Amino acid sequence: MRIDRIELRLVRLPLVRPFQTSSSRKAHLDHILIRAVMADGQQGWGECASPSDPFYCPETVETCWHILHDFLAPMCLWRDWSSIEELVGLYRNVKGNAFARSGLEMACWDALSRDQGRPLHELLGGTRAEILSGVSLGIERDLPTLFDRIDQFVAEGYRRVKLKIGPGWDVEVVRKVRERHPSLPLQVDANSAYTLDDVETLRRLDDFDLLLIEQPLAHDDIVDHARLQRALKTPVCLDESIHSAADARKAIELGACKVINIKVSRLGGLLEARRVHDLCLERGIPVWCGGMHEFGIGRAANLAIASLPGFTLPGDVSGSDKYYRRDLVEPPILATRGAIAVRNVPGLGAEPILERIDEATLRTAILDAGPTKG
Ligand code: OSB
Ligand code: MG
């Protein structure tokens, strides 16, 4: 395979319901779509689902644009590769910037699987015909609003609920949700909001039969998480701290977690995501698929990886209707009774609709110059 042309598009979709983070209120999301056109005319699409601000991880939409435009694309254009391992070898000198790498790699996986006439989930080694779907709920304005949201998604059949927590919105919120839903599979995500000074607060969460607590401590820590895990009954799950299979191995060996959240974009792509999956399967560590509010292309890639056998816990991959009124792909990715079917068609499993993408595009760059050294 050889990429002759890379198209980058900054694409905006309005959110069905604005969401509030600690620092901003968002009514829409901007992601980068990558179209890679091969020498033989085969195409693939990828999505870079980076947040626009550096509050989840250091990357932003604009750093992704910069790295894709000025480094990754020039390092790959006009170079021959025959496997994804060879493709990522072309840009192995690029450190970090996982979201940017993941978007380009996804476009190449899509093109490769279309070229072979096989579904991406099959290339990856997927074994499930459907994936089990949970929802991730933000910190809401008040408890009644949170209860309404939970009731809605439980009624729709979602298999588990994840609550975002932080100081001031934790033990009492979880207590009340647990009282209202005694047998609901429930987990919490702290997005690094605590320190070891909060062990007593976090220990109180042990009373609520949570599936796990996700990333309670610093985004770049695995050592303190090991200490915390020893103090808690609730399994610790790492998200932000795990960037590679090597990180996952170290975290498991240190006892920093009992579960890992596999997020394609945080791991720099599907190849590394599969390596983390394989390691966890071998070590008996359950995994689940995290999300970044992906549009249809990135969501389809999440479904493909989540079909692998080690994904034994419901993921954050919900129907796209939870976020977007009209997504950019057909058929729309929707959950039925808390499960999403994995499609048996060549490629990612979702067809990008060009007219909708054109309508949503804010900025475009076309790269088709010869290669540079990296
Ligand atoms: O920590 O899992 C997280 C979204 C943005 C940043 C961090 C996280 C999330 C989610 C999204 O929880 C879940 C989804 O895509 O539905
Ligand atoms: Mg998380």
Side-chain angles (χ1 to χ4, degrees):
M1 310 273 283
R2 195 185 79 202
I3 311 174
D4 279 7
R5 178 185 148 100
I6 293 175
E7 201 177 293
L8 303 179
R9 288 161 174 265
L10 182 63
V11 170
R12 172 170 295 180
L13 281 187
L15 286 159
V16 169
R17 183 176 182 274
F19 65 75
Q20 187 85 41
T21 65
S22 51
S23 53
S24 66
R25 185 177 166 84
K26 290 183 181 152
H28 58 253
L29 292 180
D30 296 342
H31 290 174
I32 298 169
L33 298 188
I34 297 104
R35 169 152 65 166
V37 183
M38 304 294 148
D40 64 1
Q42 188 61 261
Q43 296 190 4
W45 286 84
E47 175 178 340
C48 182
S50 174
S52 52
D53 41 39
F55 304 148
Y56 165 76
C57 69
E59 292 181 86
T60 69
V61 181
E62 294 300 341
T63 69
C64 288
W65 186 276
H66 167 53
I67 296 293
L68 281 160
H69 184 278
D70 296 339
F71 297 98
L72 296 174
M75 288 166 112
C76 294
L77 278 164
W78 300 89
R79 300 278 186 96
D80 288 310
W81 51 272
S82 57
S83 65
I84 299 293
E85 285 81 353
E86 279 181 31
L87 169 85
V88 304
L90 298 175
Y91 55 81
R92 66 177 167 273
N93 289 341
V94 174
K95 309 291 190 298
N97 294 287
F99 279 70
R101 285 187 282 121
S102 167
L104 180 61
E105 197 216 63
M106 194 183 298
C108 293
W109 276 107
D110 186 29
L112 185 70
S113 45
R114 285 175 194 273
D115 195 60
Q116 297 186 7
R118 295 168 66 199
L120 173 62
H121 63 83
E122 196 181 297
L123 257 69
L124 291 169
T127 53
R128 294 167 201 278
E130 58 174 33
I131 64 120
L132 296 186
S133 183
V135 289
S136 167
L137 302 183
I139 292 177
E140 296 290 348
R141 164 175 49 178
D142 50 34
L143 270 176
T145 314
L146 178 66
F147 286 162
D148 284 351
R149 300 279 286 158
I150 296 174
D151 292 353
Q152 176 199 337
F153 292 118
V154 168
E156 286 177 28
Y158 279 105
R159 306 297 172 106
R160 67 100 171 109
V161 168
K162 159 170 140 180
L163 305 176
K164 295 277 184 178
I165 58 164
W169 183 270
D170 47 33
V171 179
E172 289 316 306
V173 173
V174 175
R175 182 192 309 285
K176 296 205 173 85
V177 170
R178 185 42 98 210
E179 276 167 15
R180 200 175 156 92
H181 296 279
S183 59
L184 174 67
L186 189 64
Q187 65 193 52
V188 294
D189 185 358
N191 288 112
S192 301
Y194 299 92
T195 71
L196 281 181
D197 292 341
D198 302 308
V199 173
E200 283 319 309
T201 303
L202 297 171
R203 244 223 272 256
R204 288 164 62 204
L205 294 172
D206 277 344
D207 294 342
F208 307 118
D209 192 27
L210 299 176
L211 289 166
L212 55 90
I213 173 167
E214 184 178 348
Q215 197 72 33
L217 308 179
H219 73 100
D220 55 357
D221 168 78
I222 55 174
V223 175
D224 284 353
H225 277 99
R227 200 197 288 193
L228 177 67
Q229 179 67 90
R230 286 194 291 276
L232 298 183
K233 279 194 292 178
T234 307
V236 171
C237 169
L238 291 177
D239 174 356
E240 282 89 327
S241 313
I242 305 296
H243 303 281
S244 63
D247 286 350
R249 178 184 61 75
K250 292 169 199 170
I252 294 166
E253 288 176 3
L254 276 174
C257 62
K258 292 180 178 166
V259 181
I260 290 180
N261 165 336
I262 292 187
K263 223 176 245 184
V264 173
S265 43
R266 191 195 72 233
L267 292 164
L270 291 156
L271 187 65
E272 198 64 18
R274 183 171 64 185
R275 289 187 184 129
V276 175
H277 163 274
D278 293 351
L279 172 86
C280 289
L281 193 60
E282 188 191 302
R283 304 280 178 107
I285 298 288
V287 301
W288 53 279
C289 187
M292 291 302 296
H293 307 141
E294 283 83 355
F295 302 167
I297 292 166
R299 198 165 291 269
N302 287 343
L303 280 183
I305 195 79
S307 74
L308 271 64
F311 286 79
T312 52
L313 294 168
D316 277 349
V317 188
S318 61
S320 78
D321 57 340
K322 178 170 180 278
Y323 297 113
Y324 309 107
R325 191 179 60 78
R326 196 182 65 158
D327 205 337
L328 303 173
V329 301
E330 284 292 335
I333 296 172
L334 297 172
T336 308
R337 287 182 293 281
I340 306 181
V342 178
R343 293 180 70 230
N344 283 311
V345 295
L348 279 170
E351 285 311 317
I353 306 300
L354 209 50
E355 306 84 77
R356 293 189 204 162
I357 294 176
D358 282 342
E359 221 177 283
T361 297
L362 303 175
R363 185 201 303 163
T364 304
I366 309 272
L367 294 135
D368 53 9
T372 61
K373 283 221 171 309

